[in-house]
Amino acid sequence: MAASKVLAGAQVVLPTGTIPNGRVIVDGTRIVGSAPADAETIDLSGHWVVPGFVDIHNHGGGGASFTSGTVEDVLKGVHTHRLHGTTTVVASTVTGEMDFLAQRAGMLSELAEQGDIAGIHFEGPFISPCRKGAHSEGLLRDPDPAEVRKLIDAARGRAKMLTLATELPGGIDSVRLLAEHGVIAAIGHTDATYEQTVQAIDAGATVATHLYNAMPGLGHREPGPIAALLEDERITVELINDGTHLHPAAFELAFHHAGAARTALITDAMDAAGFGDGRYMLGPLEVEVKDSVARLVDGGSIAGSTLTLDRAFKRSVTVDGLRVDDVVRAISANPAKLLGMYDEVGSLEPGKDADLVVLDAEFDLVGVMRKGEWVVKPG
């Protein structure tokens, strides 16, 4: 068991607001309401303490892939993101053969059962060839509910989300199936109209996969999926705030309309996150990372990101001018609620896991704690 600690003197961001000169008390693996007599006091004056970040869309990092790597590779990727403040991560796959994806789901579900990851997100193969992005077109297929069920079953209760183009044949029935099984139906890599998107939301879809990216643009006569996803209170929108995927004005527009309550900041990270430039594989496709931007070698489409959530947090505050407590909602609380884990993670409240991030006055990461143990120790 981790020793008892009192993190004192920082600005502590709670669901009720920010507490100047606040403190967080950790006993063992959890946050508690009062300090044991033998607790160690750690002075964090001049810093911020925020909840650990929760990433619901992440394909890998540290040179390792969640889609194709070994168990050791997946754990390496998870650790890389923990070093950058993501204490809860969902492992995302990319389009592949159905049998391969089912096999990956089985392996990843074991890691979820061990608590290393929070679950599985299937991105593809049920997506639009028109908006495939960095997915292999030859492996795409219409969303047959029977095949969707195959992936859910292979994940043994650990499937958290599935991204699909709901306008394709079988799309609406697949959304209903996902909702019945408690799996998030996410609209993405889609060529849907506004009206088709509304139909999918009414059927049970609740997330927009990386809003703006891999979907038709916002038009004044044909508003497309973006308008439908932004305006509906039932939808949480994923945003990749790396300065590459979204123009700052587009980010501001989405955050303004969805608000802090309906935004989830994600990385959509691939192997190069926390690792460096070079050549990588994303599923069966080769990717070149140059100046931290990942693009397919063949065609040049953006292929995920090299983002880590500490950078997304800093950018959201220092470049986009968002309030710190709003960023905390988008990067911790909202994704935790989507995953059904808010009773465990996503805020700094007694009884929850001691997952937290320490930031300095410039919002650079200086400490990470997961379940009461320092992953990155301040100072």
Side-chain angles (χ1 to χ4, degrees), residues 54 68 75 89 111 127 144 152 218 256-257 277 292 317 340 344:
V54 180
S68 58
L75 294 176
V89 63
L111 295 178
I127 61 175
D144 178 352
I152 294 173
L218 184 64
H256 173 77
H257 281 276
D277 288 358
S292 297
V317 175
E344 305 168 51

Side-chain angles (χ1 to χ4, degrees), residues 216-227:
L218 184 64
H220 63 291
R221 290 194 182 92
E222 296 181 2
I226 295 172

Side-chain angles (χ1 to χ4, degrees), residues 29-230:
T29 64
R30 298 197 176 273
I31 298 169
V32 296
S34 59
D38 61 347
E40 171 194 9
T41 297
I42 300 169
D43 184 8
L44 293 177
S45 300
H47 293 74
W48 294 81
V49 176
V50 300
F53 309 145
V54 180
D55 194 355
I56 60 172
H57 189 156
N58 188 317
H59 298 279
S65 168
F66 297 156
T67 294
S68 58
T70 64
V71 168
E72 291 73 22
D73 290 334
V74 174
L75 294 176
K76 180 182 179 182
V78 168
H79 181 69
T80 296
H81 285 281
R82 285 182 187 166
L83 294 173
H84 292 275
T86 299
T87 50
T88 302
V89 63
V90 172
S92 301
T93 62
V94 296
T95 293
E97 297 283 1
M98 286 297 299
D99 288 345
F100 174 77
L101 290 174
Q103 180 269 327
R104 292 301 295 178
M107 186 266 269
L108 292 170
S109 68
E110 293 181 10
L111 295 178
E113 288 161 9
Q114 295 169 16
D116 296 304
I117 61 174
I120 305 162
H121 163 218
F122 298 102
E123 188 179 19
F126 311 115
I127 61 175
S128 172
C130 303
R131 305 286 175 178
K132 64 182 184 297
H135 291 253
S136 177
E137 185 167 356
L139 297 174
L140 301 183
R141 54 214 297 136
D142 290 341
D144 178 352
E147 292 193 320
V148 171
R149 178 64 186 267
K150 177 180 178 177
L151 293 183
I152 294 173
D153 290 346
R156 304 201 304 261
R158 301 295 175 168
K160 292 293 185 178
M161 184 162 68
L162 188 146
T163 293
L164 71 166
T166 54
E167 77 278 8
L168 296 175
I172 296 300
D173 287 341
S174 294
V175 168
R176 294 192 181 105
L177 175 71
L178 290 164
E180 288 169 5
H181 285 82
V183 180
I184 296 166
I187 300 172
H189 289 275
T190 176
D191 204 40
T193 64
Y194 174 91
E195 291 77 15
Q196 288 171 325
T197 305
V198 170
Q199 183 185 13
I201 298 169
D202 287 341
T206 55
V207 166
T209 293
H210 45 53
L211 188 77
Y212 295 113
N213 299 113
M215 61 182 64
L218 184 64
H220 63 291
R221 290 194 182 92
E222 296 181 2
I226 295 172
L229 294 164
L230 279 178

Side-chain angles (χ1 to χ4, degrees), residues 8 11 41 104 113 135 222 224 248 251-252 286 298 311 322:
Q11 296 196 73
T41 297
R104 292 301 295 178
E113 288 161 9
H135 291 253
E222 296 181 2
F251 178 83
E252 181 183 3
E286 190 172 13
D298 184 10
R311 287 169 43 211
L322 299 185

